[in-house]
Amino acid sequence: MRYTPLPSELTARSFSLADAAAAGVGRARLRSADIGHPFHGVYTAGLADDEEDRCRALAPTLEVDEWFSHLTAARLYRMPLPAFAQHEDSVHVTSVGTDDRVRRAGVTGWRVLERPPSRRWENGVRIVAPADVWASLSVRSALRPGATLSTEWLVAIGDFLVSGERTDAGRAPALCTLAELEAAADRRNGKRGAKALRVAVAAVRHPVDSVKETFLRLGLVGCGLPEPEVQLPVETAQGLRHADLGYRRERLLLEFQGDEHRTSRARWLADLTRVQLLQDAGYRVMLIGDADLVPDCRALAARVRRALTC
C-alpha cells in the first residue's frame, strides 16, 4: 500500500501527537502501518525496531534526570547476557530523586536517590555508565521480572567490561576499569545485590575473550583446583600465542572450543595449527567444549587435576 509521504521534519525520528498536528498530519495517518507506535504518545517514522532506535524514540520524552539503565543499557553496551534476557522488550529507565519513577507502557521504571555516573550515547541518548549498569544487574528483576542474575554471570559481564570485546579486527577498548567496578560495587553497599557484587568483583579477571572461558575458570576453582591464568602467553615457533587458560608451572593449557570452531573450516584449520604450535613449545593442551561444563564441570575438573599431577 502507498501512503502519503510524511513531512521531512517527522521522518527518521520520533514525534508526538502535537508534533504531527503541527506538521499537518492527522490521526488517521498516524494509524498507518508505516508509522511505528512503540510507546504511548510516541510515534516513529523511518526507525528500525531495534534497541537503539527504541531508545532514540523514547529519549525526547525523558526528563533531565532520567537515563537508560539496567537491561537496556547492558544491551547498548553489548554486554553478554543469559538467554532468559534475550527476548525481553521493555526499555529500562532510571530516574533520580524522590518523585515517582517513569510509568509508561513498554517501559520499566527505576528510581535512585543519587545521580549515577552516566554517558551520552548517540543522538543525545543518555545512558548510565558501564560499571554502574553492571552493579545494577545484581538487583532482582533487572533483566526480567522476578529473575536474579547469578554471581557467575556478574563475573562474566565484569570480565567483558574490563577486557574489551574481542572481534575479528582485534580487541575493542575496555568499557571500564576494575577500579570503576569496585567503586560501583561500593556504591551499592547496604543495598540489594551488594554481597553478590563484592564476591563477583573479587573474581573479575582480564583479558578474557568469552563467557564460557569465565565459566570454565570459575567452575574449576569451585571444584577446588588452583585458579588458572587467563590468556597465558606462550612463545611459539610462529610468534607469541595466548592460551585461553593455563597453568604455567605445570605447562598445561586449556583451550575452549565453541561452536564456531566446528562450523568454520578456516577456524578449524587455524585451531589445528595453533594446538601444534603450543605443543611444540612444550605445553600439553586440553581441548574443552560446552559438554564439559554441563550440568557442571566436576568430571572435567577431575581430568585437569590428574593432568596437573602428572
Side-chain angles (χ1 to χ4, degrees):
M1 180 180 294
R2 299 184 64 180
Y3 300 104
T4 303
L6 290 173
S8 59
E9 62 266 31
L10 299 184
T11 59
R13 53 160 291 199
S14 62
F15 56 91
S16 66
L17 186 62
D19 293 331
V25 177
R27 291 175 180 265
R29 179 68 178 89
L30 296 180
R31 290 192 291 270
S32 302
D34 65 324
I35 294 181
H37 191 191
F39 307 102
H40 177 71
V42 177
Y43 300 86
T44 61
L47 293 180
D49 188 22
D50 59 21
E51 197 80 29
E52 291 193 19
D53 278 349
R54 284 170 63 80
C55 290
R56 293 190 186 103
L58 187 63
T61 73
L62 301 186
E63 301 295 335
V64 173
D65 283 338
E66 293 177 341
W67 300 267
F68 292 105
S69 62
H70 296 80
L71 172 62
T72 300
R75 285 174 170 169
L76 291 177
Y77 286 127
R78 297 173 58 84
M79 296 181 192
L81 296 169
F84 71 74
Q86 299 300 330
H87 304 294
E88 291 297 312
D89 293 328
S90 183
V91 173
H92 291 242
V93 176
T94 288
S95 306
V96 66
T98 57
D99 293 337
D100 207 358
R101 67 195 69 188
V102 174
R103 296 186 184 277
R104 185 188 293 264
V107 176
T108 298
W110 299 83
R111 184 173 59 82
V112 295
L113 296 180
E114 297 180 0
R115 181 188 179 105
S118 61
R119 294 185 179 183
R120 187 165 291 276
W121 203 254
E122 297 178 9
N123 298 329
V125 172
R126 298 186 304 276
I127 182 173
V128 173
D132 285 79
V133 173
W134 168 80
S136 75
L137 298 182
S138 65
V139 178
R140 189 169 183 260
S141 299
L143 297 179
R144 187 181 68 182
T148 301
L149 195 64
S150 69
T151 303
E152 290 78 12
W153 266 104
L154 286 172
V155 177
I157 296 170
D159 284 355
F160 168 84
L161 291 174
V162 302
S163 298
E165 184 177 12
R166 188 72 172 181
T167 67
D168 292 339
R171 191 182 299 280
L175 288 172
C176 68
T177 65
L178 180 59
E180 288 173 320
L181 290 185
E182 291 170 341
D186 287 343
R187 283 191 285 274
R188 291 208 63 85
N189 279 342
K191 302 176 183 177
R192 291 176 297 171
K195 181 179 179 180
L197 290 174
R198 288 195 297 272
V199 172
V201 76
V204 169
R205 302 290 182 265
H206 68 88
V208 177
D209 284 348
S210 73
V211 168
K212 293 300 177 65
E213 290 175 28
T214 299
F215 289 168
L216 172 58
R217 182 180 85 243
L218 297 177
L220 294 177
V221 172
C223 289
L225 287 170
E227 181 175 342
E229 184 176 339
V230 300
Q231 294 296 303
L232 192 151
V234 177
E235 193 62 53
T236 75
Q238 293 185 13
L240 191 64
R241 298 290 188 274
H242 290 84
D244 294 338
L245 297 167
Y247 295 93
R248 188 187 301 267
R249 187 181 65 182
E250 292 82 2
R251 301 185 76 79
L252 175 66
L253 305 179
L254 311 177
E255 288 281 281
F256 189 85
Q257 304 288 288
D259 209 42
E260 73 279 4
H261 296 261
R262 176 184 63 83
T263 57
S264 168
R265 176 175 171 79
R267 185 66 177 268
W268 175 66
L269 292 173
D271 287 339
L272 292 179
T273 300
R274 174 182 172 84
V275 170
Q276 291 168 2
L277 287 170
L278 296 173
Q279 290 174 334
D280 287 345
Y283 285 82
R284 292 170 294 159
V285 180
M286 292 183 65
L287 299 180
I288 296 166
D290 283 312
D292 292 309
L293 304 182
V294 178
D296 55 55
C297 67
R298 284 181 292 180
L300 171 64
R303 288 163 44 205
V304 173
R305 184 175 286 109
R306 287 193 294 271
L308 289 175
T309 57
C310 290

